[in-house]
Amino acid sequence: MQTLVTQSIQPLPDGFVYLKDIDPTILEEVRYAGNHNFIGRPVPGYLAPVIIVTEPVALALKAVQSELKPFQMTLKVYDGYRPQQAVDSFIPWAEDLNDQLTKTEFYPNLDKRDVFSAGYISKRSSHTRGSAVDLTLVPLPAASQPRWMPGDPVLDGRLPYGKRFPDNSLDMGTAFDCLDELSHTLNSSLPHHVRANRLLLKSLMEKHGFENYRKEWWHFGFINELFPDTYFNFPVF
């Protein structure tokens, strides 16, 4: 039986931690706490730009990070735990066909009404169980990360690296959260170096207990979930 846990602002539920408390060297760019995401504004439930995950997930990420350090690379996490209210807010956004603000970057070849049926967004997400992360690899020393703001140009997320909106990540072939076939992890049409970068991320994450979602190179779920049947709704704060 699945349960939904709602909580007002107070200490994190047992089993959850701030990623920065486990490994402060992992970069965090919490896209849903700001404007640079597929709805173009802060997502409900994100009150602060911090990454929260269950403790086993944080420890596994710390282990991945330790393998990257000798090669002068770091993880950068875009999202971790996601409140159910955030997931719920994607439904009216998908139904509002007048709002196409971010289409060029995030769903250039997709009718937004199809984001659920196409498998890019789910009404019940492993993020809400605290067991999934969206992330990438960044070479060190990390370059400065520009911040997209409303009114800035909206660039196609499928454009080549250097032409789409800047990300200090390794070249993963598309922008983060670009809901397109080019974001499918094993897309064979991508340049060799892009496929190699994705394979490096995928291999390291799998080694430490994660499974990649095949349609999103950035999305990894922790296999041995702490809360496999519970969907939480406390805010990210």
Side-chain angles (χ1 to χ4, degrees):
M1 180 178 179
Q2 296 177 347
T3 56
L4 175 64
V5 177
T6 302
Q7 179 176 343
S8 58
I9 298 178
Q10 54 186 315
L12 296 178
D14 289 344
F16 284 85
V17 296
Y18 291 100
L19 179 59
K20 64 183 178 181
D21 289 340
I22 303 300
D23 192 332
T25 71
I26 297 175
L27 300 181
E28 300 181 6
E29 186 189 345
V30 189
R31 290 287 190 91
Y32 292 173
N35 297 296
H36 194 200
N37 55 64
F38 61 82
I39 72 169
R41 55 188 178 273
V43 175
Y46 286 79
L47 307 183
V50 295
I51 296 294
I52 298 170
V53 288
T54 55
E55 187 171 10
V57 170
L59 292 172
L61 292 175
K62 181 180 177 68
V64 174
Q65 183 78 342
S66 69
E67 292 210 40
L68 289 168
K69 285 180 181 178
F71 299 96
Q72 293 295 297
M73 286 192 289
T74 178
L75 292 172
K76 180 171 78 168
V77 184
Y78 298 110
D79 195 32
Y81 160 73
R82 183 183 303 163
Q84 185 61 46
Q85 64 174 304
V87 177
D88 293 343
S89 75
F90 298 154
I91 299 173
W93 168 81
E95 294 172 344
D96 182 3
L97 301 185
N98 291 319
D99 180 0
Q100 302 287 344
L101 172 66
T102 67
K103 179 176 177 63
T104 300
E105 180 170 1
F106 293 104
Y107 52 105
N109 200 35
L110 184 68
D111 187 317
K112 67 186 298 190
R113 291 172 294 189
D114 297 331
V115 294
F116 289 97
S117 61
Y120 293 111
I121 303 176
S122 173
K123 295 178 181 179
R124 281 286 186 261
S125 172
S126 53
H127 282 282
T128 309
R129 303 193 296 267
S131 61
V133 286
D134 296 336
L135 77 180
T136 190
L137 299 173
V138 174
L140 293 173
S144 176
Q145 175 59 56
R147 184 180 180 186
W148 185 91
M149 296 296 293
D152 289 346
V154 179
L155 304 175
D156 193 328
R158 302 168 300 177
L159 288 172
Y161 193 81
K163 294 186 178 181
R164 58 183 183 264
F165 189 85
D167 193 320
N168 58 7
S169 166
L170 293 179
D171 185 4
M172 293 294 181
T174 70
F176 161 66
D177 252 1
C178 182
L179 311 181
D180 188 83
E181 288 188 2
L182 282 181
S183 293
H184 294 190
T185 308
L186 300 181
N187 189 308
S188 61
S189 68
L190 294 163
H192 175 80
H193 74 279
V194 169
R195 287 182 281 135
N197 290 341
R198 290 185 181 186
L199 181 60
L200 174 60
L201 177 61
K202 182 174 182 287
S203 298
L204 283 171
M205 294 295 287
E206 288 176 345
K207 179 179 178 181
H208 292 282
F210 293 89
E211 183 177 20
N212 175 243
Y213 178 49
R214 64 181 183 83
K215 290 189 175 183
E216 298 174 347
W217 57 259
W218 56 83
H219 179 99
F220 292 85
F222 195 62
I223 295 172
N224 189 19
E225 294 189 55
L226 193 58
F227 302 109
D229 300 310
T230 304
Y231 295 84
F232 291 84
N233 198 34
F234 63 91
V236 175
F237 62 98

